[in-house]
Amino acid sequence: MITAPNSSAKEWIFRQLAERAAHGPVRVCDLACGSGSSWHDFLLRFPQVMYVGSDTDREAIEQARRAFADVPTATFSVADAQRAAQEKDSYDVVTAFSALEHVVHIEPFVQHALTILKPDGIAYLNYDNGHFHSHDPKERLMVPVSQLLARFGIEGPYMKEVDDEELCGFIRKQGGQVLQVRKHHFSTLKGFMKKYRTREEVLNAWFAFEDRLNELVSAHELARTCGATTVVVKRV
Ligand SMILES: C[S@@+](CC[C@H](N)C(=O)[O-])C[C@H]1O[C@@H](n2cnc3c(N)ncnc32)[C@H](O)[C@@H]1O
C-alpha cells in the first residue's frame, strides 16, 4: 500500500521504515515535522513505530496534536533542532522531511540529529529544491528576502538551496557516515503523481524507475533534473 502518493521521497523513506518495523519496535524522531500530516496513515498501519515529532512552529505542533488524537503512538513537542539535544542515543531512526532547505544553521541541526540517534541508528535527511527553480517570481523573490529576514532573527520563512557536498561534509565532521545521497521527484513527477495517485501499480512502476535511475546515474548528475534529495546517514 502506498502511504505518500504525492511524494516519492517520503514514500521511499516510509518503505525503508516499514522494512525495519517488520523486525520489531522502532523509535522515530521526526525533526522539523510541521503538522506531521504525511505520517498519519503510516503510524496507524505500523503501531510498532513510536513516533516523536518536533518543530519550532507552535501552531503546526498544536494542529498535529489535534490531527493525531487517534494515534496513540505519536507525540509532538515544540523544539529547535539547531539547539543542543537534551536526549542522547535515544532513537533508531531520525527523519527530517522537506526540511533542511528551511534550516538556517544546518551543522548544529545535523549534530542534533546524530546526538539523539542510537549507535547504528539511521537518519534520513530530506530536502526539496523546487522553491529555488520555481517559475513563480514571488516564490523566487522570497528566497533572498527570507535569508535577509533570518539575519534579523525571523527564521520562520527561511529557505536556502542545500548543497549536497557541504551537507555531507557537516555529517562526516559530526561523526556520521553518509550511506547514500538519493535523488527523487524527477522534473515531470509532481503532476504525474497527482494524476495517478489512486493507481498503485502505476506509482509502483514510477518508484521502480526512480530506484533504477539512482543505481545507474550519480546523485550529482541526477541533481539537474530532480526536485528532492534524501541523504541517508548512519551513526558510527
Ligand atoms: C516545509 S516544512 C516541512 C514540514 C514537514 N516535515 C512536512 O514534510 O510536511 C519545514 C519545517 O521546518 C521547520 N523548521 C525549520 N527550522 C527548524 C529548526 N531549527 N528546528 C525545528 N524545526 C524547524 C519549520 O518550522 C517547518 O515546519
Side-chain angles (χ1 to χ4, degrees), residues 169-201:
F170 289 152
I171 291 166
R172 291 187 191 102
K173 195 170 145 198
Q174 296 299 335
Q177 182 188 353
V178 176
L179 296 182
Q180 193 179 357
V181 178
R182 196 180 192 280
K183 298 290 172 182
H184 323 260
H185 294 178
F186 297 102
S187 1
T188 54
L189 185 58
K190 261 200 167 149
F192 181 90
M193 293 188 77
K194 255 189 202 139
K195 183 165 175 197
Y196 292 107
R197 55 175 296 131
T198 55
R199 297 269 311 271
E200 189 153 335
E201 77 276 37

PDB file of all heavy atoms in Angstrom, residues 169-201:
ATOM      1  N   GLY A 169      29.743  17.045   4.177  1.00  0.00           N
ATOM      2  CA  GLY A 169      30.923  17.465   4.954  1.00  0.00           C
ATOM      3  C   GLY A 169      30.540  17.639   6.435  1.00  0.00           C
ATOM      4  O   GLY A 169      31.243  17.153   7.322  1.00  0.00           O
ATOM      5  N   PHE A 170      29.417  18.320   6.690  1.00  0.00           N
ATOM      6  CA  PHE A 170      28.955  18.518   8.083  1.00  0.00           C
ATOM      7  C   PHE A 170      28.701  17.164   8.745  1.00  0.00           C
ATOM      8  O   PHE A 170      29.036  16.955   9.912  1.00  0.00           O
ATOM      9  CB  PHE A 170      27.641  19.308   8.116  1.00  0.00           C
ATOM     10  CG  PHE A 170      27.754  20.768   7.748  1.00  0.00           C
ATOM     11  CD1 PHE A 170      26.670  21.435   7.176  1.00  0.00           C
ATOM     12  CD2 PHE A 170      28.926  21.475   7.978  1.00  0.00           C
ATOM     13  CE1 PHE A 170      26.744  22.775   6.847  1.00  0.00           C
ATOM     14  CE2 PHE A 170      29.013  22.838   7.639  1.00  0.00           C
ATOM     15  CZ  PHE A 170      27.925  23.482   7.075  1.00  0.00           C
ATOM     16  N   ILE A 171      28.075  16.259   7.992  1.00  0.00           N
ATOM     17  CA  ILE A 171      27.723  14.943   8.559  1.00  0.00           C
ATOM     18  C   ILE A 171      28.984  14.203   8.995  1.00  0.00           C
ATOM     19  O   ILE A 171      29.075  13.683  10.111  1.00  0.00           O
ATOM     20  CB  ILE A 171      26.920  14.120   7.525  1.00  0.00           C
ATOM     21  CG1 ILE A 171      25.537  14.749   7.317  1.00  0.00           C
ATOM     22  CG2 ILE A 171      26.796  12.658   7.954  1.00  0.00           C
ATOM     23  CD1 ILE A 171      24.775  14.244   6.097  1.00  0.00           C
ATOM     24  N   ARG A 172      29.985  14.202   8.118  1.00  0.00           N
ATOM     25  CA  ARG A 172      31.231  13.469   8.446  1.00  0.00           C
ATOM     26  C   ARG A 172      31.928  14.127   9.635  1.00  0.00           C
ATOM     27  O   ARG A 172      32.426  13.448  10.530  1.00  0.00           O
ATOM     28  CB  ARG A 172      32.148  13.431   7.224  1.00  0.00           C
ATOM     29  CG  ARG A 172      31.552  12.545   6.138  1.00  0.00           C
ATOM     30  CD  ARG A 172      32.505  12.340   4.962  1.00  0.00           C
ATOM     31  NE  ARG A 172      31.777  11.722   3.876  1.00  0.00           N
ATOM     32  CZ  ARG A 172      31.329  12.359   2.793  1.00  0.00           C
ATOM     33  NH1 ARG A 172      31.598  13.639   2.613  1.00  0.00           N
ATOM     34  NH2 ARG A 172      30.651  11.729   1.858  1.00  0.00           N
ATOM     35  N   LYS A 173      31.940  15.470   9.623  1.00  0.00           N
ATOM     36  CA  LYS A 173      32.593  16.210  10.725  1.00  0.00           C
ATOM     37  C   LYS A 173      31.934  15.889  12.070  1.00  0.00           C
ATOM     38  O   LYS A 173      32.601  15.854  13.101  1.00  0.00           O
ATOM     39  CB  LYS A 173      32.466  17.704  10.419  1.00  0.00           C
ATOM     40  CG  LYS A 173      33.370  18.589  11.220  1.00  0.00           C
ATOM     41  CD  LYS A 173      33.332  20.000  10.665  1.00  0.00           C
ATOM     42  CE  LYS A 173      33.465  21.000  11.805  1.00  0.00           C
ATOM     43  NZ  LYS A 173      33.015  22.328  11.424  1.00  0.00           N
ATOM     44  N   GLN A 174      30.620  15.645  12.037  1.00  0.00           N
ATOM     45  CA  GLN A 174      29.893  15.373  13.284  1.00  0.00           C
ATOM     46  C   GLN A 174      29.873  13.874  13.612  1.00  0.00           C
ATOM     47  O   GLN A 174      29.117  13.432  14.468  1.00  0.00           O
ATOM     48  CB  GLN A 174      28.440  15.879  13.177  1.00  0.00           C
ATOM     49  CG  GLN A 174      28.306  17.375  13.019  1.00  0.00           C
ATOM     50  CD  GLN A 174      28.875  18.160  14.196  1.00  0.00           C
ATOM     51  OE1 GLN A 174      28.960  17.651  15.312  1.00  0.00           O
ATOM     52  NE2 GLN A 174      29.307  19.376  13.940  1.00  0.00           N
ATOM     53  N   GLY A 175      30.671  13.087  12.895  1.00  0.00           N
ATOM     54  CA  GLY A 175      30.804  11.665  13.231  1.00  0.00           C
ATOM     55  C   GLY A 175      29.770  10.769  12.578  1.00  0.00           C
ATOM     56  O   GLY A 175      29.530   9.656  13.049  1.00  0.00           O
ATOM     57  N   GLY A 176      29.130  11.225  11.514  1.00  0.00           N
ATOM     58  CA  GLY A 176      28.173  10.377  10.807  1.00  0.00           C
ATOM     59  C   GLY A 176      28.792   9.801   9.534  1.00  0.00           C
ATOM     60  O   GLY A 176      29.765  10.341   9.012  1.00  0.00           O
ATOM     61  N   GLN A 177      28.212   8.701   9.075  1.00  0.00           N
ATOM     62  CA  GLN A 177      28.678   8.104   7.819  1.00  0.00           C
ATOM     63  C   GLN A 177      27.560   8.266   6.777  1.00  0.00           C
ATOM     64  O   GLN A 177      26.414   7.879   7.034  1.00  0.00           O
ATOM     65  CB  GLN A 177      28.960   6.617   8.045  1.00  0.00           C
ATOM     66  CG  GLN A 177      29.491   5.918   6.819  1.00  0.00           C
ATOM     67  CD  GLN A 177      29.563   4.397   7.031  1.00  0.00           C
ATOM     68  OE1 GLN A 177      29.334   3.893   8.133  1.00  0.00           O
ATOM     69  NE2 GLN A 177      29.862   3.682   5.979  1.00  0.00           N
ATOM     70  N   VAL A 178      27.913   8.867   5.632  1.00  0.00           N
ATOM     71  CA  VAL A 178      26.903   9.038   4.581  1.00  0.00           C
ATOM     72  C   VAL A 178      26.769   7.721   3.836  1.00  0.00           C
ATOM     73  O   VAL A 178      27.713   7.255   3.191  1.00  0.00           O
ATOM     74  CB  VAL A 178      27.312  10.167   3.602  1.00  0.00           C
ATOM     75  CG1 VAL A 178      26.309  10.272   2.457  1.00  0.00           C
ATOM     76  CG2 VAL A 178      27.430  11.496   4.333  1.00  0.00           C
ATOM     77  N   LEU A 179      25.586   7.088   3.951  1.00  0.00           N
ATOM     78  CA  LEU A 179      25.391   5.800   3.274  1.00  0.00           C
ATOM     79  C   LEU A 179      24.932   6.006   1.841  1.00  0.00           C
ATOM     80  O   LEU A 179      25.229   5.207   0.966  1.00  0.00           O
ATOM     81  CB  LEU A 179      24.332   4.971   4.015  1.00  0.00           C
ATOM     82  CG  LEU A 179      24.656   4.548   5.442  1.00  0.00           C
ATOM     83  CD1 LEU A 179      23.524   3.703   6.008  1.00  0.00           C
ATOM     84  CD2 LEU A 179      25.963   3.764   5.482  1.00  0.00           C
ATOM     85  N   GLN A 180      24.156   7.054   1.616  1.00  0.00           N
ATOM     86  CA  GLN A 180      23.566   7.253   0.278  1.00  0.00           C
ATOM     87  C   GLN A 180      23.105   8.698   0.121  1.00  0.00           C
ATOM     88  O   GLN A 180      22.619   9.307   1.085  1.00  0.00           O
ATOM     89  CB  GLN A 180      22.356   6.317   0.148  1.00  0.00           C
ATOM     90  CG  GLN A 180      21.835   6.170  -1.254  1.00  0.00           C
ATOM     91  CD  GLN A 180      20.649   5.202  -1.335  1.00  0.00           C
ATOM     92  OE1 GLN A 180      20.252   4.586  -0.340  1.00  0.00           O
ATOM     93  NE2 GLN A 180      20.080   5.081  -2.504  1.00  0.00           N
ATOM     94  N   VAL A 181      23.281   9.230  -1.094  1.00  0.00           N
ATOM     95  CA  VAL A 181      22.631  10.502  -1.444  1.00  0.00           C
ATOM     96  C   VAL A 181      21.660  10.132  -2.554  1.00  0.00           C
ATOM     97  O   VAL A 181      22.067   9.755  -3.651  1.00  0.00           O
ATOM     98  CB  VAL A 181      23.652  11.542  -1.953  1.00  0.00           C
ATOM     99  CG1 VAL A 181      22.936  12.839  -2.358  1.00  0.00           C
ATOM    100  CG2 VAL A 181      24.710  11.829  -0.892  1.00  0.00           C
ATOM    101  N   ARG A 182      20.365  10.188  -2.234  1.00  0.00           N
ATOM    102  CA  ARG A 182      19.376   9.671  -3.185  1.00  0.00           C
ATOM    103  C   ARG A 182      18.519  10.796  -3.741  1.00  0.00           C
ATOM    104  O   ARG A 182      18.104  11.689  -3.003  1.00  0.00           O
ATOM    105  CB  ARG A 182      18.468   8.660  -2.484  1.00  0.00           C
ATOM    106  CG  ARG A 182      17.702   7.834  -3.481  1.00  0.00           C
ATOM    107  CD  ARG A 182      16.800   6.834  -2.816  1.00  0.00           C
ATOM    108  NE  ARG A 182      16.305   5.885  -3.795  1.00  0.00           N
ATOM    109  CZ  ARG A 182      15.312   6.118  -4.621  1.00  0.00           C
ATOM    110  NH1 ARG A 182      14.695   7.282  -4.595  1.00  0.00           N
ATOM    111  NH2 ARG A 182      14.928   5.205  -5.494  1.00  0.00           N
ATOM    112  N   LYS A 183      18.300  10.754  -5.038  1.00  0.00           N
ATOM    113  CA  LYS A 183      17.517  11.801  -5.701  1.00  0.00           C
ATOM    114  C   LYS A 183      16.108  11.290  -5.994  1.00  0.00           C
ATOM    115  O   LYS A 183      15.921  10.122  -6.357  1.00  0.00           O
ATOM    116  CB  LYS A 183      18.205  12.227  -7.001  1.00  0.00           C
ATOM    117  CG  LYS A 183      19.591  12.833  -6.777  1.00  0.00           C
ATOM    118  CD  LYS A 183      19.485  14.190  -6.121  1.00  0.00           C
ATOM    119  CE  LYS A 183      20.836  14.739  -5.702  1.00  0.00           C
ATOM    120  NZ  LYS A 183      20.733  16.031  -5.020  1.00  0.00           N
ATOM    121  N   HIS A 184      15.123  12.191  -5.851  1.00  0.00           N
ATOM    122  CA  HIS A 184      13.718  11.841  -6.102  1.00  0.00           C
ATOM    123  C   HIS A 184      13.049  12.958  -6.900  1.00  0.00           C
ATOM    124  O   HIS A 184      13.602  14.038  -7.058  1.00  0.00           O
ATOM    125  CB  HIS A 184      12.913  11.725  -4.808  1.00  0.00           C
ATOM    126  CG  HIS A 184      13.616  11.139  -3.638  1.00  0.00           C
ATOM    127  ND1 HIS A 184      13.461   9.836  -3.241  1.00  0.00           N
ATOM    128  CD2 HIS A 184      14.475  11.679  -2.748  1.00  0.00           C
ATOM    129  CE1 HIS A 184      14.167   9.606  -2.157  1.00  0.00           C
ATOM    130  NE2 HIS A 184      14.791  10.710  -1.840  1.00  0.00           N
ATOM    131  N   HIS A 185      11.804  12.711  -7.271  1.00  0.00           N
ATOM    132  CA  HIS A 185      10.946  13.720  -7.923  1.00  0.00           C
ATOM    133  C   HIS A 185      11.572  14.260  -9.193  1.00  0.00           C
ATOM    134  O   HIS A 185      11.832  15.460  -9.286  1.00  0.00           O
ATOM    135  CB  HIS A 185      10.694  14.928  -7.001  1.00  0.00           C
ATOM    136  CG  HIS A 185       9.905  14.614  -5.789  1.00  0.00           C
ATOM    137  ND1 HIS A 185       9.615  15.556  -4.848  1.00  0.00           N
ATOM    138  CD2 HIS A 185       9.348  13.469  -5.361  1.00  0.00           C
ATOM    139  CE1 HIS A 185       8.916  14.998  -3.879  1.00  0.00           C
ATOM    140  NE2 HIS A 185       8.752  13.727  -4.168  1.00  0.00           N
ATOM    141  N   PHE A 186      11.793  13.401 -10.153  1.00  0.00           N
ATOM    142  CA  PHE A 186      12.335  13.894 -11.416  1.00  0.00           C
ATOM    143  C   PHE A 186      11.316  14.844 -12.031  1.00  0.00           C
ATOM    144  O   PHE A 186      10.108  14.681 -11.815  1.00  0.00           O
ATOM    145  CB  PHE A 186      12.705  12.722 -12.310  1.00  0.00           C
ATOM    146  CG  PHE A 186      13.776  11.923 -11.650  1.00  0.00           C
ATOM    147  CD1 PHE A 186      13.494  10.733 -11.007  1.00  0.00           C
ATOM    148  CD2 PHE A 186      15.053  12.418 -11.564  1.00  0.00           C
ATOM    149  CE1 PHE A 186      14.469  10.040 -10.317  1.00  0.00           C
ATOM    150  CE2 PHE A 186      16.046  11.733 -10.878  1.00  0.00           C
ATOM    151  CZ  PHE A 186      15.750  10.536 -10.255  1.00  0.00           C
ATOM    152  N   SER A 187      11.812  15.829 -12.787  1.00  0.00           N
ATOM    153  CA  SER A 187      11.012  17.019 -13.126  1.00  0.00           C
ATOM    154  C   SER A 187       9.536  16.803 -13.429  1.00  0.00           C
ATOM    155  O   SER A 187       8.703  17.551 -12.960  1.00  0.00           O
ATOM    156  CB  SER A 187      11.638  17.779 -14.277  1.00  0.00           C
ATOM    157  OG  SER A 187      12.766  17.185 -14.733  1.00  0.00           O
ATOM    158  N   THR A 188       9.194  15.793 -14.190  1.00  0.00           N
ATOM    159  CA  THR A 188       7.788  15.653 -14.576  1.00  0.00           C
ATOM    160  C   THR A 188       6.960  15.001 -13.475  1.00  0.00           C
ATOM    161  O   THR A 188       5.760  14.874 -13.600  1.00  0.00           O
ATOM    162  CB  THR A 188       7.672  14.732 -15.804  1.00  0.00           C
ATOM    163  OG1 THR A 188       8.319  13.531 -15.481  1.00  0.00           O
ATOM    164  CG2 THR A 188       8.265  15.368 -17.030  1.00  0.00           C
ATOM    165  N   LEU A 189       7.617  14.584 -12.412  1.00  0.00           N
ATOM    166  CA  LEU A 189       6.939  13.697 -11.468  1.00  0.00           C
ATOM    167  C   LEU A 189       5.758  14.294 -10.723  1.00  0.00           C
ATOM    168  O   LEU A 189       4.766  13.626 -10.492  1.00  0.00           O
ATOM    169  CB  LEU A 189       7.953  13.161 -10.467  1.00  0.00           C
ATOM    170  CG  LEU A 189       7.419  12.124  -9.494  1.00  0.00           C
ATOM    171  CD1 LEU A 189       6.854  10.943 -10.255  1.00  0.00           C
ATOM    172  CD2 LEU A 189       8.502  11.647  -8.577  1.00  0.00           C
ATOM    173  N   LYS A 190       5.842  15.573 -10.348  1.00  0.00           N
ATOM    174  CA  LYS A 190       4.800  16.101  -9.466  1.00  0.00           C
ATOM    175  C   LYS A 190       3.405  15.945 -10.061  1.00  0.00           C
ATOM    176  O   LYS A 190       2.529  15.365  -9.446  1.00  0.00           O
ATOM    177  CB  LYS A 190       5.098  17.537  -9.084  1.00  0.00           C
ATOM    178  CG  LYS A 190       5.724  17.570  -7.712  1.00  0.00           C
ATOM    179  CD  LYS A 190       5.629  18.896  -7.054  1.00  0.00           C
ATOM    180  CE  LYS A 190       5.992  18.718  -5.593  1.00  0.00           C
ATOM    181  NZ  LYS A 190       6.616  19.894  -5.045  1.00  0.00           N
ATOM    182  N   GLY A 191       3.234  16.427 -11.301  1.00  0.00           N
ATOM    183  CA  GLY A 191       1.940  16.305 -11.952  1.00  0.00           C
ATOM    184  C   GLY A 191       1.581  14.849 -12.180  1.00  0.00           C
ATOM    185  O   GLY A 191       0.440  14.425 -11.995  1.00  0.00           O
ATOM    186  N   PHE A 192       2.587  14.067 -12.525  1.00  0.00           N
ATOM    187  CA  PHE A 192       2.394  12.652 -12.803  1.00  0.00           C
ATOM    188  C   PHE A 192       1.801  11.946 -11.584  1.00  0.00           C
ATOM    189  O   PHE A 192       0.827  11.201 -11.668  1.00  0.00           O
ATOM    190  CB  PHE A 192       3.750  12.034 -13.170  1.00  0.00           C
ATOM    191  CG  PHE A 192       3.697  10.580 -13.501  1.00  0.00           C
ATOM    192  CD1 PHE A 192       3.493  10.169 -14.809  1.00  0.00           C
ATOM    193  CD2 PHE A 192       3.854   9.621 -12.518  1.00  0.00           C
ATOM    194  CE1 PHE A 192       3.449   8.819 -15.116  1.00  0.00           C
ATOM    195  CE2 PHE A 192       3.805   8.273 -12.816  1.00  0.00           C
ATOM    196  CZ  PHE A 192       3.599   7.869 -14.123  1.00  0.00           C
ATOM    197  N   MET A 193       2.391  12.244 -10.426  1.00  0.00           N
ATOM    198  CA  MET A 193       1.935  11.559  -9.216  1.00  0.00           C
ATOM    199  C   MET A 193       0.520  11.977  -8.838  1.00  0.00           C
ATOM    200  O   MET A 193      -0.259  11.176  -8.338  1.00  0.00           O
ATOM    201  CB  MET A 193       2.915  11.782  -8.083  1.00  0.00           C
ATOM    202  CG  MET A 193       4.210  11.086  -8.396  1.00  0.00           C
ATOM    203  SD  MET A 193       5.352  11.092  -7.045  1.00  0.00           S
ATOM    204  CE  MET A 193       4.672   9.832  -5.980  1.00  0.00           C
ATOM    205  N   LYS A 194       0.195  13.241  -9.062  1.00  0.00           N
ATOM    206  CA  LYS A 194      -1.166  13.692  -8.760  1.00  0.00           C
ATOM    207  C   LYS A 194      -2.161  12.942  -9.625  1.00  0.00           C
ATOM    208  O   LYS A 194      -3.183  12.444  -9.173  1.00  0.00           O
ATOM    209  CB  LYS A 194      -1.286  15.191  -9.035  1.00  0.00           C
ATOM    210  CG  LYS A 194      -1.316  15.971  -7.763  1.00  0.00           C
ATOM    211  CD  LYS A 194      -1.636  17.420  -7.971  1.00  0.00           C
ATOM    212  CE  LYS A 194      -1.114  18.178  -6.765  1.00  0.00           C
ATOM    213  NZ  LYS A 194      -0.496  19.426  -7.100  1.00  0.00           N
ATOM    214  N   LYS A 195      -1.820  12.825 -10.913  1.00  0.00           N
ATOM    215  CA  LYS A 195      -2.727  12.187 -11.861  1.00  0.00           C
ATOM    216  C   LYS A 195      -2.970  10.720 -11.498  1.00  0.00           C
ATOM    217  O   LYS A 195      -4.077  10.211 -11.636  1.00  0.00           O
ATOM    218  CB  LYS A 195      -2.124  12.311 -13.263  1.00  0.00           C
ATOM    219  CG  LYS A 195      -3.012  11.755 -14.337  1.00  0.00           C
ATOM    220  CD  LYS A 195      -2.574  12.201 -15.700  1.00  0.00           C
ATOM    221  CE  LYS A 195      -3.447  11.511 -16.738  1.00  0.00           C
ATOM    222  NZ  LYS A 195      -2.862  11.560 -18.051  1.00  0.00           N
ATOM    223  N   TYR A 196      -1.898  10.035 -11.035  1.00  0.00           N
ATOM    224  CA  TYR A 196      -2.020   8.591 -10.812  1.00  0.00           C
ATOM    225  C   TYR A 196      -2.080   8.215  -9.331  1.00  0.00           C
ATOM    226  O   TYR A 196      -1.810   7.077  -8.970  1.00  0.00           O
ATOM    227  CB  TYR A 196      -0.856   7.866 -11.489  1.00  0.00           C
ATOM    228  CG  TYR A 196      -0.948   7.956 -12.986  1.00  0.00           C
ATOM    229  CD1 TYR A 196      -0.091   8.775 -13.699  1.00  0.00           C
ATOM    230  CD2 TYR A 196      -1.924   7.247 -13.684  1.00  0.00           C
ATOM    231  CE1 TYR A 196      -0.195   8.887 -15.077  1.00  0.00           C
ATOM    232  CE2 TYR A 196      -2.033   7.361 -15.052  1.00  0.00           C
ATOM    233  CZ  TYR A 196      -1.173   8.171 -15.743  1.00  0.00           C
ATOM    234  OH  TYR A 196      -1.285   8.279 -17.099  1.00  0.00           O
ATOM    235  N   ARG A 197      -2.463   9.165  -8.469  1.00  0.00           N
ATOM    236  CA  ARG A 197      -2.375   8.902  -7.031  1.00  0.00           C
ATOM    237  C   ARG A 197      -3.209   7.709  -6.576  1.00  0.00           C
ATOM    238  O   ARG A 197      -2.928   7.107  -5.541  1.00  0.00           O
ATOM    239  CB  ARG A 197      -2.689  10.136  -6.200  1.00  0.00           C
ATOM    240  CG  ARG A 197      -4.013  10.806  -6.477  1.00  0.00           C
ATOM    241  CD  ARG A 197      -4.281  11.947  -5.505  1.00  0.00           C
ATOM    242  NE  ARG A 197      -4.393  11.443  -4.140  1.00  0.00           N
ATOM    243  CZ  ARG A 197      -3.751  11.947  -3.108  1.00  0.00           C
ATOM    244  NH1 ARG A 197      -2.946  12.965  -3.275  1.00  0.00           N
ATOM    245  NH2 ARG A 197      -3.922  11.439  -1.910  1.00  0.00           N
ATOM    246  N   THR A 198      -4.239   7.330  -7.348  1.00  0.00           N
ATOM    247  CA  THR A 198      -5.053   6.185  -6.940  1.00  0.00           C
ATOM    248  C   THR A 198      -4.674   4.905  -7.702  1.00  0.00           C
ATOM    249  O   THR A 198      -5.279   3.866  -7.499  1.00  0.00           O
ATOM    250  CB  THR A 198      -6.545   6.479  -7.172  1.00  0.00           C
ATOM    251  OG1 THR A 198      -6.704   6.842  -8.538  1.00  0.00           O
ATOM    252  CG2 THR A 198      -7.055   7.604  -6.283  1.00  0.00           C
ATOM    253  N   ARG A 199      -3.712   5.003  -8.607  1.00  0.00           N
ATOM    254  CA  ARG A 199      -3.318   3.814  -9.394  1.00  0.00           C
ATOM    255  C   ARG A 199      -2.000   3.267  -8.849  1.00  0.00           C
ATOM    256  O   ARG A 199      -0.915   3.639  -9.293  1.00  0.00           O
ATOM    257  CB  ARG A 199      -3.153   4.202 -10.872  1.00  0.00           C
ATOM    258  CG  ARG A 199      -4.405   4.701 -11.550  1.00  0.00           C
ATOM    259  CD  ARG A 199      -5.208   3.592 -12.209  1.00  0.00           C
ATOM    260  NE  ARG A 199      -4.428   2.704 -13.061  1.00  0.00           N
ATOM    261  CZ  ARG A 199      -4.205   2.904 -14.356  1.00  0.00           C
ATOM    262  NH1 ARG A 199      -4.700   3.958 -14.958  1.00  0.00           N
ATOM    263  NH2 ARG A 199      -3.505   2.035 -15.050  1.00  0.00           N
ATOM    264  N   GLU A 200      -2.138   2.397  -7.842  1.00  0.00           N
ATOM    265  CA  GLU A 200      -0.953   1.927  -7.130  1.00  0.00           C
ATOM    266  C   GLU A 200       0.078   1.282  -8.059  1.00  0.00           C
ATOM    267  O   GLU A 200       1.283   1.478  -7.903  1.00  0.00           O
ATOM    268  CB  GLU A 200      -1.392   0.955  -6.035  1.00  0.00           C
ATOM    269  CG  GLU A 200      -0.262   0.587  -5.126  1.00  0.00           C
ATOM    270  CD  GLU A 200      -0.726   0.203  -3.726  1.00  0.00           C
ATOM    271  OE1 GLU A 200      -1.808   0.635  -3.293  1.00  0.00           O
ATOM    272  OE2 GLU A 200       0.023  -0.534  -3.088  1.00  0.00           O
ATOM    273  N   GLU A 201      -0.389   0.521  -9.045  1.00  0.00           N
ATOM    274  CA  GLU A 201       0.584  -0.185  -9.894  1.00  0.00           C
ATOM    275  C   GLU A 201       1.360   0.806 -10.760  1.00  0.00           C
ATOM    276  O   GLU A 201       2.543   0.599 -11.071  1.00  0.00           O
ATOM    277  CB  GLU A 201      -0.071  -1.311 -10.716  1.00  0.00           C
ATOM    278  CG  GLU A 201      -0.874  -0.904 -11.942  1.00  0.00           C
ATOM    279  CD  GLU A 201      -2.324  -0.505 -11.609  1.00  0.00           C
ATOM    280  OE1 GLU A 201      -2.569   0.115 -10.555  1.00  0.00           O
ATOM    281  OE2 GLU A 201      -3.212  -0.794 -12.420  1.00  0.00           O
TER     282      GLU A 201
END
